[in-house]
Amino acid sequence: MSQSTPGSRRKLVGQPLLYSITAFASLGVFLFGYDQGVMSGIITGPHFRKFFNTPTSVETGTMVAVLEIGAFITSLAAGRVGDVIGRRGTLFIGAIVFGIGGAIQTLTTGFFMMVVGRIISGFGVGLLSTIVPIYQSEISPPDHRGALACMEFTGNIFGYASSVWIDYFCSYIDSDMSWRIPLFIQCVIGAILAAGSLVIPESPRWLIDVDRDEEGMLVIADLHGGDPEDLVAKAEFQEIKDRVITERESGDARTYAAMWKRYKRRILLAMSSQAFAQLNGINVISYYARKSFLAAGWLGRSAILMAGINSIIYLLSTIPTWYLVDRWGRRSILLSGAVVMGIALAATGWFMYIDIPQTPQAVVVCVIVYNAFFGYSWGPLPWLYPPEILPLTVRAKGVSLSTATNWAFNFLVGEVTPVLQDVIGWRLYPMHGFFCACSFVLVYFLYPETKGVPLEEMDAVFGEDEREEMEENDSERASLMSSRSRQSGNTAGIKRTASPPSRSWVSRLMGRGDGRAAYEPIADGEE
């Protein structure tokens, strides 16, 4: 996977290169998956609690959730950084910053230093969580884009599962090393990712966008098998280049304001997917799995063991989506996931409420079912969907907004969960079940299907090609009618066009047209 220069060849080409890049880029999401899980096991450990003088629920929530503040800040900046220094450079910087934050956490001398380390790690997480999905979407072919993004998410859950089991085994260490070792492992993985980011190829779409066409063509050729004369590779290069030229000739500024004005619906959909990924309740389980099991009746190390078993099933649940996402499509997976997750959360709250001898076992089953369906649906797809639906010119900036939304809601849920667990108890779980119902409604009415659509043809999915053509035709028709009116001196004969049917306030807010746009791929030979 060494970086190529004009005239050189990589050892890996075609699908081996593509899958190798995916596996390596998954280390980026492994890192923030690991970081989410590692705190779940150590915050209830006796040595951790003793070292931090038995932290309150607010202090515990702050140590866990403050990482999201750093992630929120840099995820907003990642769009600009990714456009200026490229996808690889952003990946490298994110890994280095994350490792520094992990070192500060490992060597912490108290609460304040831990919070600082968590914020710095968050800076790295914000960069990685924004740029990795963009990078993955830009190197993936349309018919495998969903599968590769879901494989990448499996890396995230593998990180989470690894952290839970490392917490479990380290809980047998009778010293502060029981929580310092799990934190130190972050530094090791960060260093590996930083080193590897120097040898993976740059995104061909970014290279073409900054006029490094020869390098971009070499990467595309290698992804298609290594032959620079391959007709499919040349066609893909030309399609990307034509799109770049069209965007430049349009004269639209590449600012956040211009992006919001032109692509408001896409931005809101991208942000909503990430918001509901958190509001649907995953961090109640990820960050506080052990506390949830403790509340249900599992005591001591058994709570970590249950969290570990749950994490394995969670990991396995992400694998079927590799196959299904490019066959069933995005909408059906999100809809079915929301239904089962909502039911599982409601059942969790119910069993905690009735508090019968079977409650501990029932809660474990409900949590496992919930996690399995989150891992199959609302876990991977909100990371796939935003970079899919946003055009190249604003993709980094748009995904930075959607990722910032993720971390903002991540922080909100992480900060208030330990307090709500103390204040409202079992009601916390059906509350998140209600958000699952809201996400079902949103997807059903507003999310278009993007399965199999090339990134450069996504405008057709949102009806923007048709809308622009209609606007041009309307303009020409109005000009012609005005001319005829002046010639006849009589406007009475002009037939007024029927006013468009009224739309709901939700459709108007999302900028949605009348009815769903049906995507049809461009046929060979069509202009």
Side-chain angles (χ1 to χ4, degrees):
M1 290 190 297
S2 59
Q3 174 68 11
S4 74
T5 57
S8 67
R9 296 283 298 272
R10 294 187 190 91
K11 293 181 180 179
L12 285 179
V13 294
Q15 286 197 345
L17 174 63
L18 183 61
Y19 288 123
S20 297
I21 294 172
T22 299
F24 188 81
S26 296
L27 279 180
V29 292
F30 178 98
L31 279 176
F32 61 87
Y34 183 93
D35 197 273
Q36 286 176 313
V38 72
M39 294 299 288
S40 174
I42 67 176
I43 57 177
T44 55
H47 292 285
F48 183 90
R49 294 186 62 79
K50 180 180 178 181
F51 184 87
F52 290 98
N53 299 317
T54 313
T56 64
S57 294
V58 173
E59 289 175 330
T60 300
T62 299
M63 281 190 285
V64 171
V66 76
L67 176 136
E68 276 75 53
I69 294 179
F72 174 80
I73 293 170
T74 51
S75 61
L76 285 174
R80 177 63 178 164
V81 174
D83 282 340
V84 172
I85 67 173
R87 306 342 185 189
R88 290 195 319 139
T90 308
L91 192 65
F92 174 77
I93 293 173
I96 291 294
V97 173
F98 184 92
I100 293 172
I104 294 173
Q105 293 175 60
T106 303
L107 303 173
T108 184
T109 57
F111 176 79
F112 177 76
M113 188 173 174
M114 173 63 84
V115 169
V116 171
R118 294 282 292 168
I119 291 176
I120 293 175
S121 283
F123 290 155
V125 165
L127 293 172
L128 294 172
S129 59
T130 301
I131 212 65
V132 170
I134 294 172
Y135 179 72
Q136 183 66 68
S137 71
E138 291 184 345
I139 66 166
S140 303
D143 56 342
H144 288 77
R145 188 171 61 240
L148 292 169
C150 292
M151 290 178 190
E152 188 177 276
F153 179 77
T154 299
N156 176 277
I157 306 308
F158 182 59
Y160 169 73
S162 299
S163 69
V164 173
W165 283 102
I166 288 171
D167 283 346
Y168 176 73
F169 290 119
C170 287
S171 69
Y172 287 93
I173 301 175
D174 191 19
S175 71
D176 286 345
M177 290 295 105
S178 62
W179 56 270
R180 291 188 189 272
I181 289 176
L183 292 175
F184 172 71
I185 291 175
Q186 299 174 98
C187 308
V188 178
I189 301 168
I192 295 172
L193 179 61
S197 65
L198 299 176
V199 298
I200 60 175
E202 180 56 88
S203 160
R205 284 175 168 84
W206 181 81
L207 290 170
I208 296 168
D209 193 37
V210 296
D211 295 323
R212 292 162 62 177
D213 293 358
E214 188 175 355
E215 294 175 69
M217 180 61 209
L218 281 173
V219 175
I220 292 173
D222 283 345
L223 289 171
H224 282 278
D227 181 8
E229 299 301 318
D230 182 80
L231 295 179
V232 175
K234 285 186 172 183
E236 182 176 334
F237 169 84
Q238 194 59 51
E239 184 177 18
I240 297 170
K241 188 64 179 178
D242 289 346
R243 180 68 180 184
V244 169
I245 293 172
T246 300
E247 292 288 346
R248 289 178 183 174
E249 291 176 347
S250 70
D252 292 336
R254 293 193 176 193
T255 63
Y256 281 96
M259 173 186 69
W260 178 260
K261 182 179 180 181
R262 183 172 181 184
Y263 300 108
K264 180 178 70 172
R265 182 193 172 195
R266 301 200 207 187
I267 297 299
L268 288 174
L269 290 179
M271 294 172 68
S272 69
S273 69
Q274 289 285 20
F276 276 102
Q278 303 307 314
L279 291 174
N280 285 354
I282 185 57
N283 276 349
V284 176
I285 307 302
S286 294
Y287 282 155
Y288 301 105
R290 187 177 177 185
K291 286 195 71 172
S292 298
F293 291 137
L294 285 170
W298 294 92
L299 302 177
R301 193 173 287 117
S302 296
I304 308 182
L305 180 60
M306 289 300 102
I309 293 172
N310 169 61
S311 71
I312 292 177
I313 298 174
Y314 188 13
L315 175 65
L316 295 175
S317 72
T318 66
I319 296 176
T321 314
W322 298 5
Y323 177 82
L324 297 175
V325 69
D326 289 315
R327 289 167 173 80
W328 288 6
R330 285 55 162 156
R331 281 170 46 87
S332 59
I333 291 177
L334 289 173
L335 291 171
S336 57
V339 170
V340 179
M341 288 157 54
I343 294 172
L345 286 168
T348 300
W350 169 253
F351 281 113
M352 286 187 170
Y353 169 69
I354 62 177
D355 194 20
I356 58 177
Q358 291 77 26
T359 287
Q361 292 79 11
V363 167
V364 167
V365 171
C366 290
V367 168
I368 286 174
V369 170
Y370 169 85
N371 257 2
F373 276 83
F374 181 87
Y376 140 85
S377 60
W378 282 90
L381 295 196
W383 296 104
L384 164 66
Y385 204 67
E388 273 193 328
I389 65 176
L390 293 164
L392 175 62
T393 51
V394 297
R395 183 171 295 132
K397 291 183 176 67
V399 173
S400 76
L401 287 182
S402 69
T403 306
T405 302
N406 171 277
W407 295 116
F409 280 87
N410 212 314
F411 171 77
L412 175 66
V413 174
E415 185 69 31
V416 304
T417 290
V419 177
L420 291 178
Q421 283 178 323
D422 293 340
V423 174
I424 66 174
W426 64 269
R427 298 172 186 84
L428 175 65
Y429 300 93
M431 180 188 80
H432 285 289
F434 168 76
F435 287 120
C436 290
C438 293
S439 68
F440 179 94
V441 173
L442 186 71
V443 171
Y444 184 82
F445 287 104
L446 295 174
Y447 278 45
E449 183 56 68
T450 57
K451 177 185 68 174
V453 183
L455 297 180
E456 283 68 39
E457 296 179 26
M458 201 61 67
D459 286 354
V461 173
F462 289 87
E464 291 175 3
D465 286 344
E466 291 182 15
R467 187 157 58 246
E468 290 172 1
E469 184 178 343
M470 288 174 63
E471 288 173 355
E472 291 177 2
N473 291 338
D474 288 343
S475 177
E476 292 175 1
R477 188 181 301 113
S479 176
L480 179 60
M481 292 173 70
S482 175
S483 175
R484 288 177 176 174
S485 175
R486 286 194 300 269
Q487 291 174 3
S488 65
N490 179 15
T491 59
I494 297 176
K495 183 179 179 181
R496 296 183 180 272
T497 56
S499 59
S502 60
R503 294 181 290 154
S504 69
W505 67 271
V506 176
S507 295
R508 291 196 299 271
L509 174 65
M510 302 302 287
R512 180 171 176 170
D514 302 323
R516 293 191 183 110
Y519 166 74
E520 293 184 4
I522 298 174
D524 293 339
E526 284 188 1
E527 295 294 335

